[in-house]
Amino acid sequence: MGASSESSRRHEQLILPGMAGNARNKRVQGGITTSNVVVSAHVGGNAEVFPHILALHVPEGSTVADVTWGKGVFWQNVPSGRYILKASDISIGVDCRALPYADGSIDCVVLDPPYMEGLFRRSREHMAGSGSHKAFRQNYSDGEPSQGGAKWHNAVLELYFAAGREAYRVLRNEGVLIVKCQDEVSANVQRLTHLELINEYERTGYYTKDLFVVVRRNRPVVSRLRKQVHARKNHSYFLVFIKTRGKKRRHHFERSRTRSSRMGETSG
């Protein structure tokens, strides 16, 4: 029995150093268990969601150009001084399709142009946003009728596409573009605006990094309803894009996601 125990101890001494070496090479997952994370769907308003998007994707001290400022609703709950904010919109003569910034000079662009096709009409009398919706026209349109160019929903896309290309010009490499949009039914045809934007922006050279869904608290009211054929939209989107270097963009961000996973971010 004594000889057997001695042999067993010698065997353990021979294999333990190797086992210790393997332990040193084994990757240890870091992080903590928590539910305190930024989630993708929110019931509430833009001012409640927007600060979470900035906190997750835009470092403090970044230069942020909000090129469709309107009433500045997005920024109501963002502490003053956290970012270098450049606010502009069409009401002060700055078109989001022709920005007064140098190439590669901006860290983040915020884009929220009119996303209702009813704001793109040839006559002011036919434009959406009158009566109880007057505030919407004031926030999302210059109130002037459209002349020339595409019509209806395609006019909405034309504006988004041109503004996205201009944002790409002024953003630094790996800069952030935050876009607000909403799907709509135009001429009785379902138009999934968020998918149309993602497809076009990725052709431009962006990587689609994140998507947030904002669900309104109150129920929409429809006037003169005869027969409903589509679900009424009560949600909108914030899309987060990253400016990348052409063909290398997907490979670059696949590697970034792999590194994040190895550090413990296994989902989301």
Side-chain angles (χ1 to χ4, degrees), residues 94-243:
V94 178
D95 192 324
C96 60
R97 298 165 291 185
L99 298 172
Y101 308 126
D103 295 0
S105 61
I106 303 296
D107 298 312
C108 173
V109 171
V110 179
L111 177 65
D112 179 29
Y115 47 73
M116 288 174 60
E117 63 89 359
L119 293 176
F120 293 87
R121 300 288 173 89
R122 302 293 172 85
S123 168
R124 184 179 288 105
E125 288 73 25
H126 294 160
M127 290 176 66
S130 60
S132 62
H133 292 79
K134 184 178 180 181
F136 190 94
R137 184 189 294 186
Q138 291 175 343
N139 285 330
Y140 294 100
S141 170
D142 61 2
E144 296 300 320
S146 300
Q147 301 297 331
K151 295 191 300 182
W152 318 124
H153 181 78
N154 289 333
V156 177
L157 293 183
E158 190 176 76
L159 175 57
Y160 268 107
F161 293 169
R165 291 190 294 270
E166 179 67 352
Y168 192 89
R169 179 187 69 80
V170 304
L171 281 170
R172 62 169 176 79
N173 190 48
E174 299 189 11
V176 179
L177 172 61
I178 301 173
V179 179
K180 184 71 192 302
C181 69
Q182 185 175 32
D183 302 336
E184 68 173 348
V185 175
S186 177
N188 207 34
V189 176
Q190 183 73 259
R191 302 297 295 265
L192 301 180
T193 311
H194 76 287
L195 294 181
E196 293 172 313
L197 294 183
I198 288 171
N199 290 335
E200 177 65 20
Y201 283 10
E202 291 204 341
R203 283 191 289 267
T204 300
Y206 289 104
Y207 162 71
T208 308
K209 186 179 182 183
D210 223 335
L211 177 151
F212 295 82
V213 181
V214 183
V215 180
R216 59 190 293 181
R217 287 194 178 92
N218 60 325
R219 294 182 63 84
V221 177
V222 182
S223 62
R224 300 193 301 270
L225 178 64
R226 294 183 178 179
K227 180 182 178 181
Q228 184 173 2
V229 295
H230 296 93
R232 184 70 175 181
K233 303 291 186 294
N234 69 330
H235 69 283
S236 56
Y237 301 92
F238 279 103
L239 307 177
V240 180
F241 299 94
I242 306 296
K243 176 182 176 178

Side-chain angles (χ1 to χ4, degrees), residues 65-69 86 88-90 94 96 99 101 109-111:
D66 188 330
V67 299
T68 45
W69 174 258
K86 296 179 179 293
S88 64
D89 59 31
I90 196 69
V94 178
C96 60
L99 298 172
Y101 308 126
V109 171
V110 179
L111 177 65

